[in-house]
Amino acid sequence: MLVGGELVAGGAGSYDIVNPATEAVVGQAPEAAVTQVEAAAAAAAEAFPAWSRTRPEERAALLDRAADLLRERMDELIPLVQAETGATLRVAKTMQVPTCIERFRRYARGALEPTTIPLPPSEMPTTALASGGIMGAIAVRQPVGVVACITPYNFPIVNMAGKIGPALAMGNTVVVKPAPQDPLAVTVFGEVLREAGFPPGVVNVVTGSGAEAGQALVSSPHVDMVSFTGSTPVGRAIGEVAGRDMKRLLLELGGKGAGIVFDDADLPTAIATISSVWAFHSGQICTAPTRVIAQRGVYDQVVAGLQQAAGRMKVGDPLAPDTVVGPLISEVQRDRVEALVRAGIEQGGELAAGGTRPELDHGFYVAPTLIVGCKPDNAAVQQEFFGPVVVVVAVDDEDEAVAVANSTEFGLYDYVFSADTARAMRVAKQLRTGNVGINTAQRNHEAPFGGFKMSGVGRDGGSFGLHAYSELQSIVWPG
Ligand code: NAD
């Protein structure tokens, strides 16, 4: 762990990290003592005044240097993150590590973005309090202070880079707590940031459980903001604690992406797009269109296409180059996914693919699973799997498609497949969701990213993400 510029062992001991594919122990992670979490937050608070006054060019250079060092250590990081997450090699090589480097580069540039916003002068009437006249004004983006960055297990270092990059660029100091299942690469990350030359206390890394280290961090009086990505129930609990002390919040929470496929859609594109995200990192991705809403005219073709796609997905050893679906992160997560599949079927869904454990000697696998003929209120339609499971609901028309899409508590990422651009745009604007993809699952990383409803509060992404780590200050003067 990295506390106040020192690399330290866990005060509460250490615990085994298990490879989800082989079930072998691949390393030991430090378990932070609550006093170490508090020391990390205190170090971040002490470092904040000086760091917040550094020149933007200096912050940019340090973030770029960190990206360079991460690139130098890619050959070490890729197998490490692969082993602790169970990601396929393709996911580890293309997403887990390079995306994290890109985020550092993006926010190195972000440090140089203007923080002063000129405002038009306004004329004020004479009152009992003041003599009126023209008032000039600017708004200034100020850093918030100490940011607690708490992340989930699916993309440990990518999620972390997406938080500490903009937080540091904006002049905040940070305490990072990764998910307990796979924190090893994040601890390397801590070493890299120290080597890059960030002053002691500017970046701190503590590892351990949510109940101990996570709660201690959120409750710390030194913490001014909590930037959390994870499940909705934990996000809600964090919001309650943080709200008591008016800590600023950025919450990126659960999703249950709708993939609306209209009669006029290009079906091969729709099916290929949905399938690519279905299988991606074994469905452990919050933006996946796992709730397919198909118009009746194409319903049978959509089901048949998804069934064929499931049959083509090779499940197994994540190190094999042709593996598409690897394991889930843990036995607990596999059991959770299987229980929700059973509930979906008990509530009237029909199994069209998967639903069983693949025949493998080790690992926490769930075969790509397709549940069709679901009513909108089926638990499998309403609740998040975070696994390789897609459900399909039939609808008659546009209005019903929108109503079903909007019927869950989530609102993170939905998709519209239609050849009619005007219709796709019209539907997109009616969706109560933070993000909509039209005929694509590609993202634009400069676009604001975040959730409506129980999918979160605030926005990541590009300059919006940078601004999330700032407070707006107005400065007003006469003349
Ligand atoms: P989780 O909520 O169980 O854990 C996330 C993090 O919170 C972990 O570091 C955990 O230790 C910590 N934590 C747990 N209890 C805590 C507490 N009381 N106080 C402080 N910290 C606490 O989530 P997970 O199982 O790791 O990840 C899966 C979830 O993350 C899914 O719901 C998924 O949709 C969501 N997710 C959302 C996004 C997004 O951008 N919206 C991205 C990735 C994952």
Side-chain angles (χ1 to χ4, degrees), residues 253-269:
L253 309 180
K256 186 74 184 177
I260 301 175
V261 186
F262 284 117
D263 283 351
D264 62 357
D266 172 354
L267 289 187
T269 299

PDB file of all heavy atoms in Angstrom, residues 253-269:
ATOM      1  N   LEU A 253     -23.047   3.725 -10.698  1.00  0.00           N
ATOM      2  CA  LEU A 253     -23.618   2.519 -10.069  1.00  0.00           C
ATOM      3  C   LEU A 253     -24.098   1.495 -11.097  1.00  0.00           C
ATOM      4  O   LEU A 253     -23.691   1.517 -12.244  1.00  0.00           O
ATOM      5  CB  LEU A 253     -24.733   2.957  -9.112  1.00  0.00           C
ATOM      6  CG  LEU A 253     -24.319   4.052  -8.113  1.00  0.00           C
ATOM      7  CD1 LEU A 253     -25.476   4.435  -7.203  1.00  0.00           C
ATOM      8  CD2 LEU A 253     -23.122   3.614  -7.281  1.00  0.00           C
ATOM      9  N   GLY A 254     -24.987   0.622 -10.668  1.00  0.00           N
ATOM     10  CA  GLY A 254     -25.395  -0.519 -11.487  1.00  0.00           C
ATOM     11  C   GLY A 254     -26.167  -0.122 -12.733  1.00  0.00           C
ATOM     12  O   GLY A 254     -26.645   1.006 -12.869  1.00  0.00           O
ATOM     13  N   GLY A 255     -26.276  -1.078 -13.649  1.00  0.00           N
ATOM     14  CA  GLY A 255     -27.015  -0.832 -14.891  1.00  0.00           C
ATOM     15  C   GLY A 255     -27.776  -2.072 -15.317  1.00  0.00           C
ATOM     16  O   GLY A 255     -27.525  -3.173 -14.821  1.00  0.00           O
ATOM     17  N   LYS A 256     -28.725  -1.864 -16.206  1.00  0.00           N
ATOM     18  CA  LYS A 256     -29.490  -2.983 -16.766  1.00  0.00           C
ATOM     19  C   LYS A 256     -29.869  -2.549 -18.176  1.00  0.00           C
ATOM     20  O   LYS A 256     -31.031  -2.254 -18.476  1.00  0.00           O
ATOM     21  CB  LYS A 256     -30.732  -3.236 -15.892  1.00  0.00           C
ATOM     22  CG  LYS A 256     -31.545  -4.452 -16.277  1.00  0.00           C
ATOM     23  CD  LYS A 256     -30.874  -5.740 -15.891  1.00  0.00           C
ATOM     24  CE  LYS A 256     -31.665  -6.933 -16.383  1.00  0.00           C
ATOM     25  NZ  LYS A 256     -31.000  -8.219 -16.084  1.00  0.00           N
ATOM     26  N   GLY A 257     -28.842  -2.436 -19.025  1.00  0.00           N
ATOM     27  CA  GLY A 257     -28.997  -1.808 -20.334  1.00  0.00           C
ATOM     28  C   GLY A 257     -30.078  -2.426 -21.200  1.00  0.00           C
ATOM     29  O   GLY A 257     -30.110  -3.643 -21.396  1.00  0.00           O
ATOM     30  N   ALA A 258     -30.955  -1.575 -21.725  1.00  0.00           N
ATOM     31  CA  ALA A 258     -31.961  -2.028 -22.690  1.00  0.00           C
ATOM     32  C   ALA A 258     -31.344  -1.972 -24.085  1.00  0.00           C
ATOM     33  O   ALA A 258     -30.661  -1.014 -24.421  1.00  0.00           O
ATOM     34  CB  ALA A 258     -33.178  -1.121 -22.625  1.00  0.00           C
ATOM     35  N   GLY A 259     -31.599  -2.993 -24.891  1.00  0.00           N
ATOM     36  CA  GLY A 259     -31.202  -2.971 -26.303  1.00  0.00           C
ATOM     37  C   GLY A 259     -32.479  -3.082 -27.120  1.00  0.00           C
ATOM     38  O   GLY A 259     -33.013  -4.180 -27.304  1.00  0.00           O
ATOM     39  N   ILE A 260     -32.996  -1.934 -27.566  1.00  0.00           N
ATOM     40  CA  ILE A 260     -34.275  -1.946 -28.297  1.00  0.00           C
ATOM     41  C   ILE A 260     -33.996  -2.253 -29.769  1.00  0.00           C
ATOM     42  O   ILE A 260     -33.232  -1.533 -30.425  1.00  0.00           O
ATOM     43  CB  ILE A 260     -34.979  -0.578 -28.172  1.00  0.00           C
ATOM     44  CG1 ILE A 260     -35.237  -0.240 -26.696  1.00  0.00           C
ATOM     45  CG2 ILE A 260     -36.279  -0.570 -28.964  1.00  0.00           C
ATOM     46  CD1 ILE A 260     -35.821   1.153 -26.479  1.00  0.00           C
ATOM     47  N   VAL A 261     -34.613  -3.318 -30.267  1.00  0.00           N
ATOM     48  CA  VAL A 261     -34.416  -3.681 -31.672  1.00  0.00           C
ATOM     49  C   VAL A 261     -35.768  -3.508 -32.393  1.00  0.00           C
ATOM     50  O   VAL A 261     -36.717  -4.256 -32.139  1.00  0.00           O
ATOM     51  CB  VAL A 261     -33.923  -5.135 -31.821  1.00  0.00           C
ATOM     52  CG1 VAL A 261     -33.578  -5.423 -33.286  1.00  0.00           C
ATOM     53  CG2 VAL A 261     -32.709  -5.397 -30.929  1.00  0.00           C
ATOM     54  N   PHE A 262     -35.823  -2.489 -33.261  1.00  0.00           N
ATOM     55  CA  PHE A 262     -37.068  -2.233 -33.994  1.00  0.00           C
ATOM     56  C   PHE A 262     -37.136  -3.083 -35.264  1.00  0.00           C
ATOM     57  O   PHE A 262     -36.110  -3.589 -35.760  1.00  0.00           O
ATOM     58  CB  PHE A 262     -37.169  -0.738 -34.345  1.00  0.00           C
ATOM     59  CG  PHE A 262     -37.545   0.111 -33.154  1.00  0.00           C
ATOM     60  CD1 PHE A 262     -36.663   1.082 -32.661  1.00  0.00           C
ATOM     61  CD2 PHE A 262     -38.773  -0.053 -32.526  1.00  0.00           C
ATOM     62  CE1 PHE A 262     -37.011   1.856 -31.561  1.00  0.00           C
ATOM     63  CE2 PHE A 262     -39.123   0.731 -31.418  1.00  0.00           C
ATOM     64  CZ  PHE A 262     -38.244   1.682 -30.942  1.00  0.00           C
ATOM     65  N   ASP A 263     -38.362  -3.191 -35.794  1.00  0.00           N
ATOM     66  CA  ASP A 263     -38.597  -4.004 -37.000  1.00  0.00           C
ATOM     67  C   ASP A 263     -37.697  -3.598 -38.162  1.00  0.00           C
ATOM     68  O   ASP A 263     -37.363  -4.427 -39.012  1.00  0.00           O
ATOM     69  CB  ASP A 263     -40.054  -3.828 -37.471  1.00  0.00           C
ATOM     70  CG  ASP A 263     -41.028  -4.624 -36.610  1.00  0.00           C
ATOM     71  OD1 ASP A 263     -40.542  -5.426 -35.785  1.00  0.00           O
ATOM     72  OD2 ASP A 263     -42.244  -4.438 -36.760  1.00  0.00           O
ATOM     73  N   ASP A 264     -37.338  -2.304 -38.212  1.00  0.00           N
ATOM     74  CA  ASP A 264     -36.563  -1.826 -39.368  1.00  0.00           C
ATOM     75  C   ASP A 264     -35.047  -1.891 -39.123  1.00  0.00           C
ATOM     76  O   ASP A 264     -34.266  -1.361 -39.918  1.00  0.00           O
ATOM     77  CB  ASP A 264     -36.976  -0.386 -39.709  1.00  0.00           C
ATOM     78  CG  ASP A 264     -36.681   0.581 -38.568  1.00  0.00           C
ATOM     79  OD1 ASP A 264     -36.212   0.133 -37.497  1.00  0.00           O
ATOM     80  OD2 ASP A 264     -36.917   1.794 -38.736  1.00  0.00           O
ATOM     81  N   ALA A 265     -34.629  -2.526 -38.045  1.00  0.00           N
ATOM     82  CA  ALA A 265     -33.188  -2.531 -37.728  1.00  0.00           C
ATOM     83  C   ALA A 265     -32.407  -3.423 -38.680  1.00  0.00           C
ATOM     84  O   ALA A 265     -32.945  -4.385 -39.243  1.00  0.00           O
ATOM     85  CB  ALA A 265     -32.986  -3.033 -36.296  1.00  0.00           C
ATOM     86  N   ASP A 266     -31.126  -3.104 -38.836  1.00  0.00           N
ATOM     87  CA  ASP A 266     -30.209  -4.006 -39.539  1.00  0.00           C
ATOM     88  C   ASP A 266     -29.895  -5.125 -38.525  1.00  0.00           C
ATOM     89  O   ASP A 266     -29.092  -4.941 -37.602  1.00  0.00           O
ATOM     90  CB  ASP A 266     -28.955  -3.205 -39.924  1.00  0.00           C
ATOM     91  CG  ASP A 266     -27.854  -4.092 -40.495  1.00  0.00           C
ATOM     92  OD1 ASP A 266     -28.006  -5.331 -40.491  1.00  0.00           O
ATOM     93  OD2 ASP A 266     -26.848  -3.533 -40.945  1.00  0.00           O
ATOM     94  N   LEU A 267     -30.558  -6.276 -38.704  1.00  0.00           N
ATOM     95  CA  LEU A 267     -30.478  -7.311 -37.654  1.00  0.00           C
ATOM     96  C   LEU A 267     -29.065  -7.872 -37.447  1.00  0.00           C
ATOM     97  O   LEU A 267     -28.663  -8.057 -36.292  1.00  0.00           O
ATOM     98  CB  LEU A 267     -31.466  -8.439 -37.935  1.00  0.00           C
ATOM     99  CG  LEU A 267     -32.945  -8.062 -37.737  1.00  0.00           C
ATOM    100  CD1 LEU A 267     -33.821  -9.292 -37.883  1.00  0.00           C
ATOM    101  CD2 LEU A 267     -33.186  -7.410 -36.388  1.00  0.00           C
ATOM    102  N   PRO A 268     -28.302  -8.144 -38.510  1.00  0.00           N
ATOM    103  CA  PRO A 268     -26.941  -8.649 -38.243  1.00  0.00           C
ATOM    104  C   PRO A 268     -26.139  -7.686 -37.365  1.00  0.00           C
ATOM    105  O   PRO A 268     -25.429  -8.101 -36.440  1.00  0.00           O
ATOM    106  CB  PRO A 268     -26.323  -8.788 -39.640  1.00  0.00           C
ATOM    107  CG  PRO A 268     -27.503  -8.979 -40.548  1.00  0.00           C
ATOM    108  CD  PRO A 268     -28.620  -8.168 -39.950  1.00  0.00           C
ATOM    109  N   THR A 269     -26.280  -6.364 -37.624  1.00  0.00           N
ATOM    110  CA  THR A 269     -25.546  -5.383 -36.795  1.00  0.00           C
ATOM    111  C   THR A 269     -26.057  -5.420 -35.359  1.00  0.00           C
ATOM    112  O   THR A 269     -25.278  -5.427 -34.395  1.00  0.00           O
ATOM    113  CB  THR A 269     -25.728  -3.955 -37.378  1.00  0.00           C
ATOM    114  OG1 THR A 269     -25.206  -3.946 -38.685  1.00  0.00           O
ATOM    115  CG2 THR A 269     -25.034  -2.903 -36.530  1.00  0.00           C
TER     116      THR A 269
END
